[in-house]
C-alpha cells in the first residue's frame, strides 16, 4: 500500500521507470497527470530517461487532473503552462492527445461533463499520478468532497490557496476556484501512484495512515483501490508510527 524511499530523487527514478515500462508495453497508454512541486523531479527524470531510451510517446494520451478557473492556457501560472514547461515541450507528444480542463470555458458545468465523457471515451486512465495537498486533497478535491463526486468546479480551500501562493508572484492573487477531475474519475483509474515528499506532508500522511477511509481526508479513499500505491520520502514518512515502518516496507535507492 505504501513505500518509503530515501529522497525525492530516488522516487523520481522509481516512478519514471514505471512510466517508461508502461508506455513501452502499451504505447497508447492513457495517463492521468498531476501538477505541483512534487511532480517536477519526476517529470524531469522521465524526460531524461525517455530521451535516452528513445521512447515513442506519440500514441500516448493524457488527461490532467485540474486547472484554475480564469487562467488561460497561456497564463504562466496555468497548469497548461506547467505541463508544457515540465513535460510536453520536451518530447514528441501528439498535442491532440494531451487534455487539460479549460479554465476559460464559458459553461463550466457542461465543460466538466464533457471532460469526464472524453476521458471515458478514451478508454479510461491506465495509470494515474497524484500528488497530495497539505490538507489531503487530490486533484483539487478538497476535504469533504463526496467519494462519488464526478469532475466538477470547486472553491479552493484557504489552506490550498496559501500553499499554492508560492507558485504565484508576490502580490498576485491565487485563483479562488478550479475545475478538477472528481474522486469518481480518479478512482476509476486502473492503477494509481500517489507521491508525497517533504516535511510539509508528514502530518497529513500520518493522519492518512491512522484514520480509516474518510471524506475529511480525500486521499484515504485510495485504501479502497485495488492497485493504488502511496510513495513517500523519508521526510513525508517521518511522523508515521515506528511499527508502520517495518524493513519490508522500506525500499532503498
Ligand atoms: C495542488 C494540485 C494537486 C497537487 C497538490 C500538491 O493544489 N492541484 O494536484 O497534488 O497541490 O502540490 P505540491 O506537489 O506542490 O505539494
Amino acid at each position: 500500500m505504501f513505500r518509503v524511499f530515501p529522497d525525492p530523487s530516488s522516487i523520481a527514478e522509481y516512478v519514471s521507470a514505471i512510466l517508461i515500462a508502461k508506455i513501452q508495453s502499451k504505447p497508447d497508454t492513457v495517463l492521468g497527470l498531476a501538477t505541483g512541486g512534487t511532480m517536477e523531479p519526476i517529470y524531469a527524470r522521465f524526460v531524461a530517461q525517455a530521451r535516452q531510451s528513445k521512447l515513442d510517446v506519440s500514441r500516448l494520451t493524457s488527461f490532467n487532473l485540474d486547472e484554475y478557473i480564469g487562467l488561460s492556457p497561456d497564463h504562466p501560472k496555468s497548469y497548461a503552462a506547467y505541463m508544457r514547461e515540465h513535460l510536453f515541450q520536451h518530447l514528441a507528444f501528439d498535442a491532440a492527445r494531451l487534455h487539460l480542463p479549460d479554465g476559460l470555458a464559458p459553461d463550466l458545468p457542461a465543460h466538466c461533463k464533457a471532460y469526464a465523457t472524453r476521458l471515458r471515451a478514451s478508454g479510461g486512465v491506465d495509470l494515474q499520478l497524484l500528488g497530495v495537498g497539505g490538507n489531503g486533497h487530490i486533484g483539487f478535491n478538497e476535504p469533504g468532497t463526496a467519494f462519488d463526486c464526478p469532475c466538477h468546479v470547486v472553491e479552493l480551500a484557504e489552506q490550498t490557496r496559501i500553499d499554492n501562493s508560492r507558485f504565484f508572484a508576490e502580490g498576485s492573487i491565487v485563483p479562488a476556484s478550479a475545475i478538477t477531475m472528481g474522486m469518481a474519475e480518479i478512482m476509476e483509474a486502473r492503477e494509481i501512484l500517489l507521491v508525497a515528499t517533504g516535511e510539509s506532508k508528514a502530518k497529513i500522511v500520518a493522519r492518512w495512515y491512522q484514520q480509516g477511509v474518510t471524506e475529511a481526508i480525500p486521499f484515504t479513499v485510495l485504501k479502497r483501490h485495488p492497485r493504488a500505491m502511496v510513495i513517500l520520502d523519508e521526510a513525508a514518512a517521518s511522523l508515521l508510527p515506528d511499527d508502520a515502518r517495518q524493513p519490508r516496507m522500506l525500499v532503498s535507492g
Side-chain angles (χ1 to χ4, degrees):
M1 184 71 201
F2 76 94
R3 288 184 171 189
V4 183
F5 287 77
D7 51 35
S9 70
S10 42
I11 291 178
E13 191 71 35
Y14 177 73
V15 174
S16 167
I18 292 177
L19 289 170
I20 302 266
K22 188 98 199 162
I23 299 163
Q24 277 169 341
S25 68
K26 187 173 184 277
D28 60 350
T29 294
V30 179
L31 292 179
L33 296 177
T35 52
T38 311
M39 294 297 142
E40 290 177 20
I42 294 173
Y43 292 145
R45 189 69 199 117
F46 172 72
V47 166
Q49 261 184 296
R51 280 185 178 149
Q52 211 179 10
S53 55
K54 297 194 168 41
L55 184 74
D56 178 11
V57 293
S58 66
R59 291 171 58 202
L60 191 142
T61 296
S62 71
F63 285 87
N64 262 79
L65 282 167
D66 43 20
E67 180 60 284
Y68 290 112
I69 290 175
L71 300 193
S72 79
D74 296 330
H75 189 288
K77 297 303 169 190
S78 69
Y79 283 160
Y82 171 104
M83 290 310 298
R84 280 197 303 279
E85 181 187 340
H86 294 288
L87 184 61
F88 296 160
Q89 71 179 359
H90 302 291
L91 299 170
F93 291 101
D94 174 356
R97 294 177 190 264
L98 309 175
H99 305 89
L100 278 108
D102 176 2
L104 294 184
D107 182 343
L108 290 165
H111 180 66
C112 291
K113 262 194 180 161
Y115 194 69
T117 304
R118 215 175 332 146
L119 197 161
R120 290 204 179 95
S122 75
V125 170
D126 292 304
L127 178 60
Q128 176 69 55
L129 293 184
L130 293 177
V132 63
N135 61 5
H137 74 225
I138 47 180
F140 270 133
N141 291 280
E142 298 285 19
T145 307
F147 285 154
D148 60 356
C149 186
C151 183
H152 64 290
V153 168
V154 61
E155 294 302 315
L156 300 179
E158 200 47 35
Q159 187 185 337
T160 300
R161 294 184 73 201
I162 293 168
D163 288 349
N164 289 3
S165 64
R166 71 190 193 279
F167 294 113
F168 288 77
E170 210 176 310
S172 71
I173 292 179
V174 182
S177 57
I179 300 167
T180 184
M181 217 186 254
M183 301 297 275
E185 289 90 12
I186 291 173
M187 286 296 280
E188 280 169 25
R190 285 181 268 281
E191 189 179 348
I192 300 178
L193 300 178
L194 180 143
V195 182
T197 56
E199 252 175 70
S200 64
K201 303 291 165 68
K203 270 191 191 156
I204 197 70
V205 165
R207 287 182 64 205
W208 166 81
Y209 180 79
Q210 281 151 2
Q211 308 242 337
V213 177
T214 166
E215 287 171 358
I217 307 173
F219 80 123
T220 57
V221 76
L222 299 188
K223 296 179 182 183
R224 287 189 183 156
H225 194 285
R227 295 189 66 200
M229 198 202 297
V230 170
I231 298 171
L232 308 171
D233 70 352
E234 287 288 351
S238 60
L239 296 179
L240 288 178
D242 286 343
D243 64 336
R245 297 165 50 82
Q246 295 304 310
R248 68 190 166 79
M249 298 283 195
L250 289 169
V251 175
S252 60

